[in-house]
Each structure stands twice: as C-alpha cells, then as structure tokens.
Amino acid sequence: MADMNTDREVIEGALALIEADGGWTQGTYCRDAEGNQVRPSVDSPGDWVRVRTQHVGAGGYRERTEPVAAPCSFCLGGALRTAAGYWHSGQPYAAQMQVDRLELLLVRLANSANAMDWPNLDAFNDDVHTTAADAVLMLKRAAAHVDA
C-alpha cells in the first residue's frame, strides 16, 4: 500500500494541474483535450474514460463511456482528488477524508478573501465570476496556510 501524500503535496499537485495550460475547468471534475467530461474507469483502475451524453427525446438522456481518455483540465475538487490519488489509490477513504479537509480549507479561504458565502468548493469553482487565476490564488493561499 503506497503512502499518502501530505496536505502540502496534494495542494502542490493540484496547483500544478490547475496551472498547466488550460488546466482549469468548471462544471465537472475533469475534462479531456476536447472538453469532454472524463472520469476514472471502473473496469480498469488507473485508466480514464470519456463520458458522452446523448439526448434521447422527451427530456431523457443516455450516457455512455469511451475508453482511452486522459484528463487535462480539472476543477479544484478534481485537481485535489487527482493529486491525492483518490481515484487510483488503495486508500480511497483516507484520501477522501484528506480531500474533504482541504476542500473545507479552500472554501473557508475563498469566503474570507472575497466576503462571499459559497456553501462548498464546487459553488466557488463553478461561479460565473471565478477564474483560473482565482483557483490558483486559493491553492497558493491554502499552501501558505498549511505551511503556517
């Protein structure tokens, strides 16, 4: 069983993912280079699948997945999960506890810095006024907080 990353390592890993060219997204945890939602493969740990949603009429939708996708942009929550190894580790519950703790820290920092009241990290990330620069700034503030 691999050792878990420290909080600082997870934040630095998430920061590296977000700071990459086009590395931040809204609306879903992870997207591929074409902007499609991707998620971990259930059948093949360590791999990712592209999610395709098709409208089938009368307000119905069908979802299918395609193999061989790779995420290249992440929301803040997706970046934290990826950096913590949540989707591909042998310790998903421990990673989830760490991610939950770091998400709470980021929301607290975002709310205090902007005098807002986002209920969770997804709300901050997906706010129409939030930018990639805001996401980077929150991760840098979290790193400084962890160091303090």
Side-chain angles (χ1 to χ4, degrees):
M1 191 179 320
D3 291 330
M4 285 186 49
N5 290 333
T6 65
D7 287 355
R8 174 67 182 198
E9 290 169 333
V10 171
I11 292 168
E12 287 176 356
L15 186 59
L17 292 170
I18 296 292
E19 285 186 314
D21 186 33
W24 177 72
T25 191
Q26 292 179 302
T28 187
Y29 283 128
C30 311
R31 294 187 188 276
D32 66 11
E34 297 172 9
N36 297 299
Q37 177 184 0
V38 296
R39 65 177 173 222
S41 172
V42 174
D43 300 326
S44 181
D47 289 337
W48 296 81
V49 295
R50 178 179 298 115
V51 179
R52 299 277 191 190
T53 304
Q54 177 184 14
H55 184 261
V56 292
Y61 293 88
R62 178 179 26 221
E63 187 177 274
R64 64 184 170 89
T65 59
E66 300 170 347
V68 192
C72 64
S73 62
F74 303 83
C75 74
L76 283 168
L80 289 173
R81 281 169 178 75
T82 300
Y86 171 76
W87 286 304
H88 301 115
S89 81
Q91 304 176 44
Y93 297 110
Q96 182 62 52
M97 289 175 28
Q98 183 179 39
V99 167
D100 288 346
R101 185 175 65 253
L102 293 174
E103 284 187 353
L104 287 173
L105 171 62
L106 286 170
V107 170
R108 192 173 76 235
L109 292 170
N111 285 338
S112 66
N114 293 304
M116 294 292 291
D117 190 23
W118 287 287
N120 56 43
L121 191 60
D122 291 341
F124 169 77
N125 189 90
D126 295 345
D127 188 298
V128 295
H129 300 100
T130 302
T131 65
D134 296 323
V136 167
L137 182 58
M138 284 306 106
L139 287 167
K140 289 183 177 182
R141 285 185 178 158
H145 180 81
V146 168
D147 287 344

